[in-house]
């Protein structure tokens, strides 16, 4: 749980969420605390990876098709200019359409990028909220832990887990009695990785990680690589 220690502010500092006296006090602490410097570097590396670990949705096909159809509908007349500057109107229409397509694609991608940045900041804040006030349980099978907040929201921390091979992904599970629920996917990799679970983790539940096919599966098929049973705090 959060006991007011400066160590608990590392995530917030990494995302520039501190200010005023709290910021000055933490930076003074950071200058003489190797553990916090490592935590801040790890948080920044993780959030940086999150920022680029997204796929832009495809540009709607209707946008390009609508513009091209409009261009083809132009009458194939010749603009009445001197002969050396005579340009088919259809060519002008297609050139305009090409420019419109570029601008349309740019606008769509810009809008998607802004939306993704907003979603990323929301995810980062949610991650900080859990890590700033949680009970941590080490995971068996490797270097890692599961952190559970009083709200039952939880984050899996995995250190130096081998990157998932092509066509594979790591999948987290919340196991309560005989019920096994998928709770999120991640790729692993060098350094520290964080995964906020999509399912709540009650006291007594087990959190496990397996290696599955890309995209995840509804029930585990691989061996359990990491495992932790959440005890009362």
């Amino acid at each position: 749980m959060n006991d007011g220690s400066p160590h608990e502010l590392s995530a917030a500092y990494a995302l520039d969420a501190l200010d005023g006296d709290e910021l000055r006090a933490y930076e003074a602490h950071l200058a003489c605390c190797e553990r916090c410097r490592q935590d801040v570097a790890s948080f920044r590396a993780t959030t940086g990876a999150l920022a680029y670990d997204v796929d832009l949705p495809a540009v709607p096909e209707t946008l390009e098709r609508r513009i091209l159809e409009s261009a083809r509908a132009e009458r194939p007349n010749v603009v009445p200019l001197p002969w050396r500057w005579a340009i088919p109107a259809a060519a002008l229409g297609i050139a305009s359409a090409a420019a419109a397509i570029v601008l349309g694609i740019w606008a769509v991608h810009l809008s998607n990028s802004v939306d993704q940045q907003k979603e990323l900041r929301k995810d980062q804040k949610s991650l900080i909220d859990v890590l700033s006030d949680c009970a941590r349980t080490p995971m068996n099978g490797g270097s890692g832990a599961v952190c559970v907040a009083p709200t039952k929201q939880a984050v899996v921390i995995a250190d130096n887990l081998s990157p998932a091979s092509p066509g594979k992904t790591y999948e987290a599970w919340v196991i309560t009695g005989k019920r096994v629920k998928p709770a999120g996917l991640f790729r692993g990799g060098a350094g520290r990785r964080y995964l906020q679970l999509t399912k709540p983790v009650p006291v007594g539940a087990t959190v496990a990680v397996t290696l599955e096919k890309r995209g995840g599966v509804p029930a585990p098929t691989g061996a359990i690589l990491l495992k932790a049973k959440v005890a009362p705090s």
Side-chain angles (χ1 to χ4, degrees):
M1 304 295 288
N2 186 354
D3 58 3
S5 166
H7 301 300
E8 304 296 337
L9 298 176
S10 297
Y13 179 79
L15 293 174
D16 299 321
L18 302 181
D19 55 23
D21 293 340
E22 194 173 42
L23 174 61
R24 288 188 287 274
Y26 182 81
E27 287 183 334
H29 167 79
L30 190 65
C32 57
C33 180
E34 177 62 24
R35 169 188 162 185
C36 282
R37 287 196 293 272
Q38 292 178 353
D39 286 346
V40 167
S42 177
F43 273 114
R44 284 178 172 166
T46 299
T47 54
L50 283 173
Y52 292 98
D53 192 21
V54 294
D55 295 322
L56 287 175
V59 176
E61 294 181 5
T62 54
L63 172 66
E64 182 176 352
R65 184 170 61 250
R66 188 167 61 250
I67 295 172
L68 287 175
E69 287 175 352
S70 176
R72 294 190 184 104
E74 293 286 339
R75 293 178 60 193
N77 294 333
V78 176
V79 177
L81 294 175
W83 69 269
R84 61 180 178 274
W85 294 108
I87 302 173
L92 288 175
I94 292 173
S96 297
I101 291 171
V102 171
L103 289 174
I105 291 173
W106 174 81
V108 170
H109 279 267
L110 179 61
S111 176
N112 289 337
S113 178
V114 170
D115 290 343
Q116 287 165 356
Q117 287 299 318
K118 289 179 180 178
E119 191 65 26
L120 176 63
R121 297 295 294 186
K122 180 180 176 182
D123 291 344
Q124 290 171 344
K125 181 181 182 302
S126 182
L127 185 69
I128 290 173
D129 288 344
V130 174
L131 294 174
S132 296
D133 186 12
C134 67
R136 180 181 297 210
T137 303
M139 301 191 82
N140 298 322
S143 179
V146 58
C147 298
V148 183
T151 59
K152 298 182 182 179
Q153 290 186 316
V155 171
V156 166
I157 301 174
D159 292 326
N160 298 311
L161 194 61
S162 298
S165 59
K168 296 286 188 178
T169 186
Y170 290 104
E171 187 161 8
W173 308 91
V174 176
I175 306 170
T176 308
K178 294 183 179 180
R179 301 184 65 182
V180 181
K181 298 180 180 179
L185 308 174
F186 66 109
R187 298 177 180 177
R192 175 163 288 183
R193 304 287 168 154
Y194 300 89
L195 172 69
Q196 183 161 0
L197 302 184
T198 59
K199 299 294 190 298
V201 179
V203 171
T206 295
V207 175
V209 173
T210 62
L211 185 64
E212 304 293 349
K213 68 178 182 181
R214 185 176 180 180
V217 293
T221 63
I224 292 178
L225 305 175
L226 298 174
K227 181 179 179 181
K229 185 171 183 177
V230 178
S233 58

